[in-house]
């Protein structure tokens, strides 16, 4: 499954974006995620239930390089095919090569190579999966993210409206700077979820055990929310 653009993993930039050329927040997060995968190794645990680092790397590669299989990531009727391709890729391609392919970015034929798609479709994906690797380790600590990445994530926070669509309480996200966004309109009370943008996103996308957020609201409403399960 080698491709013409196979090559070494590019060096991950410093977190503050310093260096000869700042690749931008999404490309920077891609390189940091690739570096985290490489450091963790193929059998490392992740916060993606049932997946190790090899599984996660195969998912990232299939998502960008197999347009025939990518729709099943969001469309349940096609999920069986996507999972079959992902499993086959994880078995057939060495882990190091999977990381290389992901770090290189999408090939020209991929929809993810179209102008603007990287920023709109990958900021959340790369941030969340980077944290899936980091937070599966016992000694992890929250990291500071750049204002540019934080703003991109905030713009995409509306994904929570889809994820929380069946939640029976009104949920409002509140950032440390006071900006707020209502992401669920349920009628059984109201809960405000406080935290940095990245933590709010992780909480919404099912990483509730490791997301650093604080819930406020009526006791019954908070209880209803915490006892509710959800997924994409």
């Amino acid at each position: 499954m080698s491709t013409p653009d196979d090559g070494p993993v590019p060096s991950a930039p410093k977190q503050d974006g310093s260096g000869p050329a700042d690749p931008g927040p999404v490309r920077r997060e891609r390189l940091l995620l690739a570096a985290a995968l490489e450091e963790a190794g193929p059998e490392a645990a992740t916060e993606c239930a049932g997946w190790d680092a090899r599984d996660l790397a195969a998912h990232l590669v299939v998502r960008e390089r197999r347009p025939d299989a990518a729709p099943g990531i969001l469309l349940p009727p096609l999920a069986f095919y996507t999972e079959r391709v992902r499993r086959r890729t994880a078995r057939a391609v060495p882990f190091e090569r999977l990381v290389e392919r992901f770090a290189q970015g999408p090939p020209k034929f991929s929809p993810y190579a179209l102008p603007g798609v990287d920023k709109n479709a990958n900021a959340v994906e790369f941030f969340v999966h980077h944290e899936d690797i980091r937070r599966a380790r016992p000694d992890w600590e929250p990291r500071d993210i750049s204002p540019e990445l934080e703003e991109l994530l905030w713009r995409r926070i509306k994904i929570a409206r889809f994820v929380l669509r069946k939640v029976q309480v009104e949920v409002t996200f509140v950032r440390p700077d006071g900006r707020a966004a209502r992401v669920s309109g349920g009628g059984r009370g109201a809960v405000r979820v406080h935290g940095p943008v990245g933590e709010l996103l992780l909480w919404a996308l099912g990483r509730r055990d490791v997301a650093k957020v604080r819930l406020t609201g009526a006791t019954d409403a908070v209880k209803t929310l915490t006892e509710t399960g959800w997924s994409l």
Side-chain angles (χ1 to χ4, degrees):
M1 292 184 65
S2 62
T3 60
D5 56 347
D6 283 342
V9 179
S11 297
K14 296 179 181 179
Q15 183 62 47
D16 62 5
S18 63
D22 184 355
V26 179
R27 175 66 178 167
R28 190 185 314 137
E29 198 67 11
R30 179 192 293 273
L31 297 180
L32 290 169
L33 172 51
L37 285 165
E38 185 177 44
E39 180 182 357
E43 298 179 359
T46 78
E47 287 297 322
C48 293
W51 281 7
D52 60 17
R54 184 192 304 277
D55 293 316
L56 179 52
H59 158 75
L60 292 166
V61 169
V62 167
R63 176 177 176 268
E64 293 188 326
R65 293 174 175 258
R66 289 293 302 267
D68 61 312
I73 295 172
L74 292 177
L75 300 175
L78 303 177
F80 76 96
Y81 178 67
T82 299
E83 180 62 8
R84 186 170 68 186
V85 172
R86 188 198 63 76
R87 288 177 179 270
R88 190 175 296 167
T89 300
R91 290 194 304 266
V93 183
F95 177 73
E96 295 77 10
R97 183 62 60 84
L98 288 172
V99 175
E100 289 174 4
R101 290 179 178 175
F102 169 66
Q104 290 160 4
K108 292 181 180 179
F109 64 78
S110 172
Y112 290 93
L114 295 172
V117 173
D118 190 49
K119 180 179 290 187
N120 291 321
N122 286 336
V124 170
E125 181 82 7
F126 297 167
F127 170 78
V128 170
H129 286 321
H130 186 185
E131 294 304 314
D132 283 336
I133 292 290
R134 294 184 68 256
R135 300 190 185 207
R137 295 184 171 189
D139 58 347
W140 73 271
E141 294 288 343
R143 63 184 170 112
D144 292 330
I145 63 175
S146 69
E148 295 86 357
L149 178 58
E150 184 175 64
E151 186 58 31
L152 281 177
L153 297 179
W154 183 248
R155 292 177 191 171
R156 303 296 295 169
I157 206 74
K158 61 185 178 182
I159 191 175
R161 297 175 186 171
F162 174 73
V163 180
L164 302 176
R165 64 193 181 279
K166 296 182 180 180
V167 170
Q168 298 300 306
V169 299
E170 179 183 296
V171 176
T172 299
F173 287 164
V174 184
R175 299 167 39 147
D177 62 8
R179 294 170 66 183
R182 192 173 72 175
V183 294
S184 173
R188 297 184 182 177
V191 175
R192 293 169 73 84
V193 185
H194 305 258
V197 174
E199 304 300 322
L200 296 172
L201 190 61
L202 289 166
W203 181 88
L205 295 181
R207 280 70 173 177
R208 288 187 284 177
D209 289 344
V210 294
K212 300 294 186 180
V213 300
R214 177 173 58 90
L215 276 56
T216 61
T219 301
D220 288 348
V222 172
K223 183 174 184 293
T224 296
L225 180 60
T226 56
E227 292 179 350
T228 301
W230 62 78
S231 62
L232 280 174

